[in-house]
Amino acid sequence: MLKGKTALVTGSTSGIGLGIAKSLAAQGANIVLNGFGDAEGPKAEIAALGVQVAYHGADMSKPDEIEDMIAFATKTFGGVDILVNNAGIQHVARIENFPVERWDAVIAVNLSSAFHATRVALPSMLAKNWGRIINVASVHGLVGSAEKSAYVAAKHGIVGLTKVTALENATSGVTCNAICPGWVLTPLVQKQVDAKAAALGISNDDAKKQLLGEKEPSMQFTSPEELGALAVFFSSEAGNNIRGVAWNMDGGWTAQ
Ligand code: NAD
């Protein structure tokens, strides 16, 4: 379905980004991976799906590196047709104890990076009159949780950015939508499970149950594969007139 298209997924060496990259590759899209840590393993997983894959290690908190990454994707594959703004980090603390440097980092990686990647990728999408911009927000783009001020502010911000991007391009073939997952068991969330287990002196399994029980009525983690399937749907021709939505996949979290 996506043969001949190129998808750039930020923060795709791990977790949700890697899951979305694999789902898009399974539909035939060539992939540009990004993120820290080992890139060879993820590259091999994508290549095994029979598509072309490249990697760029841009630090998503640095606008000039983001510009360089889009230029690299254009040079390698002729442009970016599907941009998935997924890279994200978390820091948990009350506002009065929140390190200023962590606030700046979370806003830069979780919000500003999407603005920079979008502004640089848009012109060639508009020239082709086809594009998909998918912002990985969170339930925290729709509701708040204590001790996550920077994350919740950034995720509400990216939902707003999604709407404006959709509106500015509404008469073109370029759509923009957000995905809002609840808990997904990735390294980002495992750190919060570990912190809960240590703080309460409970097992890893009990900490997971507590985490789910506080917020997610289904008592199930959403999987990267399920989120990948939604990204594929947004990228399909059936997604042509879905514009500016913030679509939650959260086991009922925000239905409460
Ligand atoms: P993860 O920690 O598994 O992956 C994050 C990815 O981002 C990694 O590839 C990492 O290398 C990359 N990254 C981090 N900082 C970067 C930087 N400065 N430059 C480039 N890459 C960077 O986390 P995840 O859970 O897969 O999170 C992915 C996205 O999904 C994030 O935006 C997160 O906020 C969002 N999200 C996660 C959950 C969840 O429960 N895990 C829920 C809702 C939303």
Side-chain angles (χ1 to χ4, degrees):
M1 188 170 78
L2 299 175
K3 211 166 170 47
K5 306 281 191 214
T6 297
L8 188 163
V9 185
T10 71
S12 47
T13 47
S14 165
I16 294 169
L18 181 56
I20 290 177
K22 281 159 74 174
S23 298
L24 295 171
Q27 297 297 325
N30 294 324
I31 303 290
V32 181
L33 294 170
N34 158 261
F36 297 149
D38 169 46
E40 291 311 312
K43 269 175 82 175
E45 286 185 57
I46 300 285
L49 295 165
V51 298
Q52 292 183 61
V53 56
Y55 166 78
H56 191 285
D59 179 339
M60 294 304 293
S61 66
K62 304 210 166 106
D64 57 330
E65 294 189 21
I66 296 171
E67 287 176 19
D68 192 60
M69 179 177 65
I70 304 285
F72 165 81
T74 304
K75 210 172 104 195
T76 310
F77 291 124
V80 175
D81 304 296
I82 302 167
L83 169 65
V84 183
N85 289 310
N86 165 79
I89 53 174
Q90 176 64 284
H91 188 83
V92 180
R94 284 179 58 87
I95 291 172
E96 66 273 30
N97 302 325
F98 213 95
V100 171
E101 162 277 319
R102 285 288 84 201
W103 170 276
D104 289 342
V106 172
I107 298 296
V109 177
N110 295 18
L111 176 58
S112 301
S113 72
F115 161 71
H116 293 298
T118 299
R119 81 178 162 78
V120 185
L122 253 175
S124 88
M125 290 182 182
L126 288 171
K128 291 183 193 170
N129 199 33
W130 197 94
R132 296 288 188 260
I133 299 171
I134 300 171
N135 293 327
V136 179
S138 165
V139 284
H140 286 118
L142 305 169
V143 296
S145 288
E147 303 197 353
K148 295 188 176 173
S149 54
Y151 189 87
V152 170
K155 294 300 186 180
H156 275 67
I158 205 168
V159 169
L161 177 67
T162 300
K163 291 174 183 172
V164 174
T165 307
L167 292 175
E168 287 184 2
N169 300 291
T171 58
S172 79
V174 180
T175 73
C176 179
N177 294 291
I179 296 179
C180 298
W183 292 122
V184 186
L185 194 56
T186 65
L188 181 141
V189 163
Q190 187 59 49
K191 278 187 209 150
Q192 294 172 62
V193 173
D194 293 343
K196 194 173 264 305
L200 302 177
I202 56 176
S203 70
N204 185 56
D205 271 359
D206 286 343
K208 283 182 195 160
K209 278 188 202 127
Q210 277 222 11
L211 209 72
L212 287 167
E214 285 163 12
K215 301 280 189 185
E216 195 145 330
S218 68
M219 293 298 286
Q220 286 174 44
F221 291 100
T222 300
S223 69
E225 292 72 27
E226 288 164 344
L227 297 165
L230 183 53
V232 167
F233 178 56
F234 283 159
S235 303
S236 72
E237 289 313 312
N240 184 47
N241 208 25
I242 305 176
R243 293 173 187 262
V245 306
W247 187 316
N248 42 313
M249 206 185 248
D250 63 0
W253 183 324
T254 54
Q256 298 170 97

